Amino acid sequence: MIDIFSKELIIHLYCLQPNELTGSGSRTAMPDPNERTDIDGIAVSPHHFIGGRRVASDHTFAVRSPLDWNLRLADVSRGTRRTAEMAVAAAVKGFHRWSALKPSERATVLCRLADLIDAHAAEIAAIECLDMAMLHESLQRRLVPRGALNFRNYAELVAGYEERCWSSKGTRNRVVRDPAGPAVIITPWNAPFMLSTWKLAPALAAGNSVILKPAEWSPLSASLLADLANEAGFPEGAFNVVQGLGSEVGADLVSDPRVRRISFTGSPETARHIGVAAAQNIVPFTAELGGKGPLIVFADADIEAAARKAAAQFEDSGQVCLAGTRLLVESSVKSEFMEHFVLYTEQHVYGDSRDPGTTLSAAIHPVHLERVEGFVRRAREAGDRIIFGGQRFEAGKLWYQPTLIEPASNESEVVQKEIFGPVLTLQTFDSEPQAVGLANSTEYGLSGIVYTSDAKRAERMGRAVRAGTVWVNTFLVRDLTAPFGGCGISGIGREGGDYALDFHSDLKTVQILEGSVR
Ligand code: NAD
């Protein structure tokens, strides 16, 4: 079946070639791999980082800022099959060097990288803010420090790991975690820095070498991370970054048989392609994919707190996979909820993400915003009711109004498909089973948010909502040792804590006949 909302079709509809979409070009002179692009006073390499050095490609793709689409930030090297081959060859060598280190030695390097991230947090936040328009405040305060924490957390986990040992059937058993080999890490354009560290840290801690392929719409913070990894002292080839388009160098990387793990975050459509490549080479892969989370408000809840959190789902232009985008509100408190929800929504300020007062950021890319607009247009045509919003703040710019839609039915496209923009739906329910039925009625299963003051209901809903994570009376608080992932088309596998270390290892059981050795 053709997915009528795929990026490919949007490219086709707008008569754009992928090159034009990404503004790609050729270099006229031999590129200097050590050249840097000055972005707001920060020197960023636009090139790959392979085998401990910068490598340039002949072709480039343009990176523009969503804050000002006329602002061309950089022309970034556009990797080819040759780049992928070079990166995997370097990662194979890097794997031998890195996996030979003791876990405690690897932990030392990971901690050094964490310290360097903290020391360069301002630059990382500034570049990421320009690159994908995420709110600077939350980058600086939350997401970049979380990146450092991911490395520290895995340093601690791997250094403190105790192998499971026990006796049975006359043998001594021991579970050994063997590093698996080179791992390819593919990340999406939203929150690229934090999400990449979330995946890189366990892969490296487990002893694997890594090749990070960031998204072509926001590739710049990965380049800063490569500089810091270089400074932290990873052996050559242990930490590699390849830039380029997913359908080109991304596809080449995931189909290389020397790659032994693939960790992907992105859309279900791309996961299907990567899954085929992984199956071809019998390579384990994890996929953290899209969501369509319910935010369920029971009459017994703190309605104002629930409404405040619901209005917060518009932040970062709704480009948050875990967002609670389907508001399910108990009928008896709908008016009270709406009163607070509208008030909190009106307090949002759209504008430049670098300004501390801004709460609504721009969409990442014109093509993405046109996709969001397509959802709202089709909702109107299908008879869904637009309660508020439904257009850009200013024509030609990338800020979209917070939008609330009352769907004509639960089958409406805006209820069933991930929009990934500042667009929420509102539905009501009259009983707990009805709320559960609505919550579990999409193909997704990434996250759920429940507001209730009833402890028993909190437990029941936590179990009943089909999702990788269910939050009750809170949102986005995470313990890094907990499993993370999705059900249904929201993903395969679990990351986080030991779950990710197990994924990146070949678990081996060693059994020694008791009394047979001295
Ligand atoms: P996407 O699937 O279009 O791209 C993700 C990455 O895959 C990019 O780096 C891209 O270059 C690469 N890619 C594309 N085709 C490829 C191929 N054939 N082989 C290898 N790599 C390929 O997703 P996106 O639009 O960048 O990100 C948005 C999606 O990510 C949304 O669905 C969102 O919900 C999801 N997401 C999920 C989580 C999570 O933790 N579950 C977190 C963030 C984003």
Side-chain angles (χ1 to χ4, degrees):
M1 203 175 82
I2 298 170
D3 180 352
I4 58 162
F5 308 110
S6 72
K7 230 178 241 172
E8 282 73 15
L9 192 87
I10 288 171
I11 293 166
H12 181 70
L13 284 176
Y14 287 86
C15 305
L16 291 167
Q17 293 306 307
N19 306 1
E20 296 170 63
L21 179 71
T22 50
S24 86
S26 301
R27 299 178 197 279
T28 42
M30 268 301 271
D32 170 7
N34 295 316
E35 74 185 346
R36 300 251 153 182
T37 304
D38 185 298
I39 303 175
D40 221 15
I42 301 165
V44 182
S45 169
H47 301 305
H48 318 292
F49 182 75
I50 297 174
R53 65 191 174 89
R54 291 286 171 181
V55 174
S57 288
D58 291 337
H59 290 80
T60 59
F61 61 98
V63 176
R64 294 177 181 278
S65 177
L67 300 179
D68 173 1
W69 201 245
N70 294 318
L71 181 61
R72 195 177 177 116
L73 296 174
D75 289 318
V76 175
S77 272
R78 176 173 167 175
T80 60
R81 176 158 296 176
R82 240 186 78 231
T83 322
E85 277 168 10
M86 193 190 292
V88 178
V92 169
K93 287 193 186 146
F95 173 68
H96 293 303
R97 299 180 184 117
W98 179 241
S99 61
L101 298 185
K102 291 192 203 114
S104 59
E105 292 171 323
R106 295 201 294 264
T108 304
V109 183
L110 293 177
C111 286
R112 261 202 309 264
L113 179 54
D115 293 345
L116 285 163
I117 290 172
D118 281 338
H120 291 269
E123 288 144 66
I124 298 166
I127 289 296
E128 187 124 309
C129 180
L130 274 171
D131 201 12
M132 60 90 47
M134 194 162 218
L135 297 176
H136 184 268
E137 165 89 4
S138 70
L139 280 164
Q140 177 105 28
R141 198 171 34 83
R142 203 165 51 83
L143 289 159
V144 178
R146 202 10 234 290
L149 192 59
N150 283 334
F151 286 108
R152 268 195 207 100
N153 177 52
Y154 274 102
E156 203 176 300
L157 271 182
V158 79
Y161 176 64
E162 284 181 18
E163 291 174 348
R164 187 180 158 220
C165 296
W166 75 105
S167 289
S168 80
K169 303 192 174 176
T171 61
R172 248 183 311 119
N173 297 253
R174 177 182 293 278
V175 178
V176 176
R177 271 183 183 154
D178 280 342
V184 166
I185 311 282
I186 307 252
T187 47
W189 48 257
N190 71 314
F193 183 80
M194 194 287 287
L195 284 176
S196 70
T197 61
W198 169 243
K199 300 171 98 59
L200 290 163
L204 288 161
N208 299 340
S209 54
V210 294
I211 304 168
L212 167 64
K213 209 300 281 169
E216 49 270 47
W217 283 357
S218 57
L220 299 177
S221 59
S223 189
L224 296 182
L225 189 57
D227 285 339
L228 301 182
N230 194 27
E231 202 178 328
F234 285 93
E236 278 175 18
F239 191 109
N240 306 279
V241 173
V242 166
Q243 303 283 11
L245 308 196
S247 55
E248 296 177 357
V249 76
D252 291 331
L253 284 169
V254 295
S255 52
D256 191 305
R258 293 169 293 176
V259 166
R260 297 321 300 156
R261 289 294 184 274
I262 301 169
S263 173
F264 170 70
T265 299
S267 63
E269 293 74 27
T270 305
R272 290 187 177 102
H273 290 291
I274 295 179
V276 169
Q280 208 68 41
N281 294 327
I282 324 262
V283 173
F285 94 111
T286 53
E288 294 184 0
L289 309 175
K292 193 73 197 175
L295 192 159
I296 308 165
V297 184
F298 284 98
D300 61 33
D302 177 340
I303 304 297
E304 186 180 348
R308 189 170 57 235
K309 199 55 82 183
Q313 308 301 308
F314 292 125
E315 283 175 13
D316 283 316
S317 201
Q319 298 169 154
V320 179
C321 56
L322 295 162
T325 51
R326 291 181 293 138
L327 307 183
L328 306 178
V329 181
E330 193 156 352
S331 304
S332 58
V333 291
K334 181 184 171 191
S335 322
E336 186 187 348
F337 172 84
M338 281 303 290
E339 216 171 283
H340 293 296
F341 177 60
V342 168
L343 273 179
Y344 280 113
T345 301
E346 281 171 355
Q347 286 172 18
H348 276 304
V349 178
Y350 86 96
D352 192 316
S353 311
R354 292 168 289 189
D355 296 342
T358 300
T359 61
L360 294 178
S361 54
I364 176 83
H365 196 286
V367 165
H368 183 64
L369 187 50
E370 282 157 19
R371 182 178 180 275
V372 172
E373 288 176 318
F375 275 107
V376 177
R377 190 186 60 248
R378 289 190 297 278
R380 271 199 188 96
E381 288 163 4
D384 297 336
R385 186 166 79 90
I386 314 296
I387 301 177
F388 57 71
Q391 55 189 324
R392 296 184 193 211
F393 278 105
E394 293 176 60
K397 298 211 170 160
L398 300 183
W399 282 265
Y400 198 77
Q401 293 177 344
T403 299
L404 184 68
I405 302 179
E406 192 170 37
S409 89
N410 193 48
E411 304 317 310
S412 291
E413 184 193 56
V414 282
V415 176
Q416 293 296 327
K417 296 275 179 201
E418 183 187 47
I419 300 173
F420 222 46
V423 180
L424 308 182
T425 56
L426 176 70
Q427 293 168 278
T428 53
F429 63 86
D430 294 310
S431 68
E432 193 176 306
Q434 199 190 353
V436 172
L438 287 170
N440 294 345
S441 67
T442 74
E443 288 183 288
Y444 300 88
L446 188 61
S447 62
I449 309 169
V450 179
Y451 274 84
T452 177
S453 60
D454 180 329
K456 291 216 169 83
R457 174 172 275 156
E459 291 293 337
R460 278 197 307 272
M461 290 301 290
R463 287 172 192 278
V465 173
R466 193 177 63 110
T469 307
V470 179
W471 284 284
V472 180
N473 300 327
T474 185
F475 177 52
L476 282 188
V477 190
R478 278 198 23 77
D479 181 321
L480 296 183
T481 60
F484 178 83
C487 315
I489 64 165
S490 288
I492 296 176
R494 290 293 178 269
E495 297 192 338
D498 281 331
Y499 305 91
L501 283 176
D502 281 351
F503 168 74
H504 280 288
S505 309
D506 284 325
L507 290 181
K508 178 165 69 186
T509 307
V510 178
Q511 280 186 284
I512 300 176
L513 184 65
E514 250 157 350
S516 69
V517 289
R518 277 185 290 131

